[in-house]
């Protein structure tokens, strides 16, 4: 199992340069790059060619851009922005060898029926997949375990992926989001493991379903998520990506030195995932 680092874990103190430096030092294989802040900051003093050359000369490789946000149920102007941003991500991704883009559903107070959500999502994902396909890039939908997210359970997300039925459209399975809105293990057991493109590992404090937020995340193995159930089921259904990405948004962890956080994240992740993969 290849170990990946999601930059959210050190978001406050770190930079793309520091994350790459310490992830390389501590033996990570892959990185998920935050495009909305860390990549933009990097490009103030570097070029895309600099980043491409870094990956050519180091062990660590880019695995995904995180993220193209709020892709569904948008107005015309919002959808135009989404397509333009995707085009940019694909162009950069092709240059640096980044094969995946995480796409996040709309989160907000506007109410839509599930029929409206599915219709918009399927239509938009077909159009976005057409763009990404030209660059050899896949789109991974990350359902968000929060009541105000339009796609907030694994079952609903998988239903949309099946309806789209494209080789370059799959899912992110984030263990926190799976737990946070009570996604059902039986839905995961019935899924095709090859449609899960990215696995996010994390854990959470034992707050009730429906009120959890990202700041409640804790190191893998230190919380209430049934990680054993999720990981054993993934193995049973043929999860094939051979990667796991550690992603946390814990305020206390942001106080750690960047290298210490990266080191602990690796140790905690391997201690959990190593039992099953």
């Amino acid at each position: 199992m290849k170990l990946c680092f999601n930059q959210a874990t050190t978001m406050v103190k770190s930079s793309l340069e520091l994350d790459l430096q310490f992830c390389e030092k501590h033996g990570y294989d892959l990185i998920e790059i935050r495009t909305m802040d860390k990549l933009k900051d990097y490009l103030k003093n570097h070029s895309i060619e600099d980043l491409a050359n870094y990956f050519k000369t180091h062990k660590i490789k880019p695995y995904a851009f995180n993220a193209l946000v709020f892709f569904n149920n948008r107005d015309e102007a919002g959808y135009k922005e989404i397509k333009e941003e995707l085009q940019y991500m694909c162009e950069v991704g092709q240059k640096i060898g980044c094969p995946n883009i995480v796409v996040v559903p709309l989160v907000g107070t506007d109410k839509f029926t599930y029929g409206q959500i599915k219709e918009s999502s399927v239509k938009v994902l077909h159009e976005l997949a057409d763009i990404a396909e030209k660059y050899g890039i896949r789109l991974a939908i990350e359902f968000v375990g929060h009541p105000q997210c339009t796609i907030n359970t694994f079952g609903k997300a998988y239903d949309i992926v099946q309806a789209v039925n494209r080789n370059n459209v799959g899912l992110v399975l984030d263990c926190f989001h799976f737990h946070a809105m009570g996604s059902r293990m039986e839905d995961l057991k019935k899924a095709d493991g090859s449609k899960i493109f990215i696995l996010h590992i994390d854990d959470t404090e034992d707050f009730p379903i429906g009120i959890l937020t990202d700041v409640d995340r804790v190191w893998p193995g230190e919380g209430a998520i049934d990680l054993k159930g999720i990981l054993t089921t993934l193995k049973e259904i043929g999860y094939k990506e051979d990667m796991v990405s550690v992603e946390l948004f814990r305020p206390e962890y942001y106080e750690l030195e960047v290298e210490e956080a990266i080191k602990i994240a690796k140790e905690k992740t391997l201690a959990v995932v190593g039992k099953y993969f």
Side-chain angles (χ1 to χ4, degrees), residues 83-133:
K83 289 197 291 185
E84 289 173 351
E85 186 174 359
L86 176 64
Q87 181 72 38
Y88 171 74
M89 287 183 177
C90 288
E91 290 172 0
V92 175
Q94 188 179 62
K95 289 177 181 177
I96 70 171
C98 184
N100 299 291
I101 296 173
V102 175
V103 294
V104 176
L106 181 68
V107 180
T109 56
D110 291 341
K111 295 173 71 174
F112 302 94
T113 66
Y114 181 64
Q116 291 171 322
I117 294 165
K118 183 175 179 179
E119 181 182 8
S120 171
S121 297
V122 171
K123 178 179 182 293
V124 170
L125 285 167
H126 270 299
E127 294 177 5
L128 298 182
D130 284 341
I131 296 171
E133 195 171 52

Side-chain angles (χ1 to χ4, degrees), residues 76-277:
E76 186 175 344
Y79 181 47
K80 182 174 182 289
E81 290 178 3
I82 285 292
K83 289 197 291 185
E84 289 173 351
E85 186 174 359
L86 176 64
Q87 181 72 38
Y88 171 74
M89 287 183 177
C90 288
E91 290 172 0
V92 175
Q94 188 179 62
K95 289 177 181 177
I96 70 171
C98 184
N100 299 291
I101 296 173
V102 175
V103 294
V104 176
L106 181 68
V107 180
T109 56
D110 291 341
K111 295 173 71 174
F112 302 94
T113 66
Y114 181 64
Q116 291 171 322
I117 294 165
K118 183 175 179 179
E119 181 182 8
S120 171
S121 297
V122 171
K123 178 179 182 293
V124 170
L125 285 167
H126 270 299
E127 294 177 5
L128 298 182
D130 284 341
I131 296 171
E133 195 171 52
K134 296 174 184 176
Y135 296 87
I137 288 174
R138 304 185 304 179
L139 306 178
I141 305 167
E142 182 167 17
F143 63 95
V144 176
H146 190 279
Q148 291 184 333
C149 184
T150 50
I151 308 172
N152 56 24
T153 65
F154 177 86
K156 295 297 187 187
Y158 187 72
D159 180 49
I160 288 168
V161 165
Q162 284 188 301
V164 174
N165 193 27
R166 298 280 293 258
N167 289 335
N168 69 328
V169 176
L171 287 176
V172 178
L173 197 167
D174 183 300
C175 295
F176 172 83
H177 291 315
F178 189 92
H179 173 87
M181 280 296 290
S183 289
R184 304 187 309 168
M185 199 67 75
E186 51 263 44
D187 288 333
L188 181 58
K189 289 179 179 178
K190 291 185 291 186
D192 177 357
S194 69
K195 298 306 292 184
I196 299 171
F197 292 171
I198 300 172
L199 172 61
H200 284 171
I201 192 80
D202 34 47
D203 218 323
T204 185
E205 294 186 84
D206 196 14
F207 292 117
I209 299 301
I211 68 167
L212 288 156
T213 61
D214 279 329
V215 298
D216 300 319
R217 298 186 188 213
V218 295
W219 298 119
E222 295 189 357
I225 298 177
D226 181 12
L227 294 177
K228 177 181 179 181
I230 293 172
L231 293 170
T232 55
T233 300
L234 282 171
K235 192 166 186 178
E236 289 169 3
I237 66 173
Y239 173 61
K240 299 177 180 179
E241 291 303 312
D242 191 32
M243 67 79 66
V244 60
S245 184
V246 56
E247 182 187 41
L248 297 133
F249 295 84
R250 186 78 176 179
E252 295 96 308
Y253 301 166
Y254 289 147
E255 298 301 314
L256 297 171
E257 293 302 316
V258 174
E259 183 174 10
E260 181 68 7
I262 287 172
K263 182 173 179 289
I264 293 172
K266 177 183 178 179
E267 292 169 352
K268 297 292 185 180
T269 298
L270 293 181
V272 171
V273 178
K275 298 175 184 176
Y276 310 104
F277 286 90

